């Protein structure tokens, strides 16, 4: 009798009884449709917690594991509106199909709740592996995947519980900062501290880029203060507002700028358009991102291009090798050469693997 009880799987009716609601409400929450049903966030959270406690997702996946693999691979991305994430999605689809996998991709807009809902839905589609790209809380997603018996890999932003593939943000930022400082010295006859603008100081990539930014200033004996670092977020409006606020405090923005994405660059260029003609040579810009249309903006803009093909090759190699340890592979970005042209460093790829404790 005890063995029978232990073997019995939790159903949506069990969850409905525990949550004090209907089976249809439970189904709507588990399928990610609870907002359309006007179910309260409190009830949705309660049902989700009960499902995790009762191992509901695990039971669904256990049934799958007794059958053949689904050959479905999922990817969560934060944005579609820049070339970096767009190129990740496009190349990921091609590489997945070339391996006989069916890719499912969804955009979560850097919203932690949307990321969790997307991960839960991906698991309901019985994906064989879930790729978290730029996730705000990759470890939470990994925990959900582990409970369901599904592999997960982090791309762009690292986690501590699953393998991760990211750009070498520190070294890329250090080299880009050096380039901007030297350009300022050559074009403006001054080597003064740059302005760092864009990104979120709480995420790994921005923190590493700020560290590289500081290191380059130190190596070239240029003092840098906190007022020159503005991790104001990625939205163009936030970059524009940050520059307005800087001026309102009576501070003139530096003539050399390190812009932390093409999304932030849009806001910087809007601000420059209001401040004066954008074809002037009074501002030197470097951007940790890449878009070919930047050459049409009228400024000589140095750009770092993240090496998406190499990053995805490393990611699929992890999948095919069965890698599960929480290693971090750092892929060097593609840097501008002395003529401002992009040169590939794939030949000197230094995939540094930093082993971390899962605990």
């Amino acid at each position: 009798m005890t063995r029978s009880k232990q073997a019995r799987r939790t159903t949506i009716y069990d969850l409905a009884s525990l949550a004090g609601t209907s089976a249809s409400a439970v189904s709507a929450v588990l399928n990610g449709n609870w907002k359309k049903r006007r179910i309260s966030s409190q009830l949705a959270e309660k049902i989700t917690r009960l499902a995790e406690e009762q191992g509901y997702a695990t039971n669904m996946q256990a049934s799958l594991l007794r059958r053949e693999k689904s050959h479905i691979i999922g990817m969560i991305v934060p944005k579609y509106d820049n070339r970096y994430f767009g190129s990740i999605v496009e190349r990921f689809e091609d590489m997945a199909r070339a391996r006989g996998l069916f890719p499912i991709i969804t955009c979560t807009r850097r919203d932690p709740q949307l990321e969790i809902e997307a991960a839960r839905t991906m698991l309901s589609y019985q994906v064989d592996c879930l790729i978290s790209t730029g996730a705000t809380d990759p470890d939470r997603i990994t925990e959900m995947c582990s409970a369901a018996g599904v592999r997960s890999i982090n791309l762009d932003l690292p986690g501590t519980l699953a393998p991760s593939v990211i750009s070498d943000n520190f070294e890329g930022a250090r080299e880009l900062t050096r380039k901007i400082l030297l350009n300022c010295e050559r074009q403006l006859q001054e080597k003064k501290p740059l302005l760092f603008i864009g990104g979120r100081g709480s995420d790994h990539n921005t923190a590493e880029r700020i560290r590289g930014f500081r290191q380059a200033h130190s190596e070239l004996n240029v003092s840098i203060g906190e007022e020159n670092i503005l991790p104001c977020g990625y939205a163009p409006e936030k970059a524009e507002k940050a520059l307005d606020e800087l001026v309102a405090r009576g501070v003139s923005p530096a003539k050399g700028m390190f812009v932390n994405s093409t999304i932030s660059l849009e806001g910087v260029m809007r601000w420059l358009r209001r401040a004066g003609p954008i074809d002037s040579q009074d501002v030197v810009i470097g951007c940790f991102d890449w878009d070919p249309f930047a050459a049409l903006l009228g400024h000589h803009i140095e750009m770092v291009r993240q090496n998406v093909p190499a990053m995805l090759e490393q990611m699929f190699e992890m999948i095919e090798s069965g890698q599960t340890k929480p290693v971090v592979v750092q892929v060097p970005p593609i840097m501008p050469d002395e003529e401002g042209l992009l040169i590939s460093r794939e030949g000197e790829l230094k995939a540094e693997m930093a082993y971390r404790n899962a605990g």
Side-chain angles (χ1 to χ4, degrees):
M1 187 74 171
T2 303
R3 289 179 62 186
S4 175
K5 286 182 179 179
Q6 289 178 340
R8 183 179 177 277
R9 295 180 192 150
T10 303
T11 68
I12 61 172
Y13 301 100
D14 297 323
L15 295 176
S17 177
L18 291 169
T21 188
S22 66
S24 64
V26 172
S27 178
V29 171
L30 296 178
N31 290 327
N33 297 320
W34 58 275
K35 288 183 180 178
K36 293 180 181 178
R37 288 278 307 276
R38 296 186 179 181
I39 295 170
S40 70
S41 58
Q42 292 87 348
L43 179 57
E45 183 62 32
K46 182 178 182 180
I47 291 170
T48 301
R49 186 180 67 253
L50 286 168
E52 292 175 354
E53 290 173 355
Q54 297 297 314
Y56 184 77
T58 304
N59 291 339
M60 286 196 304
Q61 202 57 225
S63 175
L64 170 67
L65 292 175
R66 282 194 293 272
R67 303 194 302 272
E68 292 183 1
K69 290 185 177 181
S70 68
H71 299 292
I72 299 173
I73 185 168
M75 174 178 277
I76 295 170
V77 293
K79 291 282 183 180
Y80 288 140
D81 61 356
N82 77 347
R83 286 185 179 268
Y84 172 57
F85 289 116
S87 64
I88 285 177
V89 167
E90 186 174 4
R91 187 169 287 266
F92 169 73
E93 285 189 313
D94 288 343
M95 295 176 73
R97 290 193 173 100
R99 289 164 170 79
L101 302 172
F102 183 81
I104 299 178
I105 302 161
T106 187
C107 177
T108 53
R109 295 177 287 183
R110 299 190 191 277
D111 183 326
Q113 185 58 43
L114 282 179
E115 290 173 0
I116 298 305
E117 290 178 11
R120 187 174 295 118
T121 302
M122 291 281 188
L123 294 175
S124 75
Y125 278 104
Q126 302 177 337
V127 295
D128 291 334
C129 184
L130 178 56
I131 312 302
S132 299
T133 306
T136 60
D137 190 354
D139 286 347
R140 173 83 186 276
I141 294 172
T142 297
E143 287 171 346
M144 292 176 63
C145 290
S146 296
V150 173
R151 295 183 60 198
S152 66
I153 293 177
N154 304 312
L155 186 66
D156 181 61
L157 282 173
T160 63
L161 303 179
S164 302
V165 180
I166 65 173
S167 288
D168 189 342
N169 293 284
F170 169 76
E171 189 60 28
R174 187 185 73 85
E175 292 191 27
L176 179 60
T177 304
R178 286 176 58 88
K179 184 72 173 179
I180 305 168
L181 284 166
L182 293 174
N183 283 349
C184 285
E185 186 175 32
R186 182 172 61 252
Q187 295 172 221
L188 308 177
Q189 288 73 54
E190 63 179 29
K191 190 166 64 177
K192 293 183 179 179
L194 308 177
L195 179 69
F196 183 104
I197 185 165
R200 297 179 301 174
S202 59
D203 76 40
H204 173 276
N205 291 357
T206 298
E208 283 296 282
R209 291 171 194 174
I210 291 174
R211 189 167 72 89
F213 179 78
R214 291 182 184 279
Q215 180 64 28
H217 278 81
S218 175
E219 290 171 355
L220 293 176
N221 298 313
V222 180
S223 298
I224 185 78
E226 290 300 320
E227 68 277 5
N228 281 62
I229 300 176
L230 301 176
C232 53
Y234 288 102
E237 300 77 20
K238 292 184 177 179
E240 197 172 1
K241 182 181 178 183
L243 288 167
D244 280 336
E245 291 176 347
L246 197 66
V247 172
R249 296 199 303 269
V251 179
S252 296
K255 292 184 177 180
M257 295 187 186
F258 181 118
V259 187
N260 200 23
S261 75
T262 52
I263 301 173
S264 298
L265 181 61
E266 181 182 336
V268 170
M269 299 310 295
R270 284 181 192 168
W271 185 87
L272 286 173
R273 184 179 290 276
R274 287 194 288 110
I278 66 169
D279 60 351
S280 71
Q281 298 301 310
D282 294 337
V283 179
V284 176
I285 295 176
C287 183
F288 203 109
D289 211 345
W290 179 82
D291 194 304
F293 287 105
L296 304 178
L297 295 176
H299 282 282
H300 178 65
I301 301 178
E302 302 285 0
M303 306 198 86
V304 168
R305 186 174 187 175
Q306 300 190 70
N307 198 336
V308 170
M311 292 171 71
L312 289 175
E313 286 289 350
Q314 290 288 326
M315 184 199 77
F316 276 106
E317 185 176 309
M318 285 179 170
I319 294 172
E320 290 159 3
S321 68
Q323 177 66 265
T324 58
K325 292 181 180 179
V327 300
V328 178
V329 173
Q330 297 190 74
V331 177
I334 301 169
M335 304 298 299
D337 68 8
E338 290 303 317
E339 285 72 43
L341 301 174
L342 291 173
I343 55 173
S344 174
R345 294 173 61 193
E346 289 185 42
E348 54 182 274
L349 176 64
K350 53 170 187 178
E352 300 172 353
M353 305 187 76
Y355 286 85
R356 299 181 175 186
N357 292 325

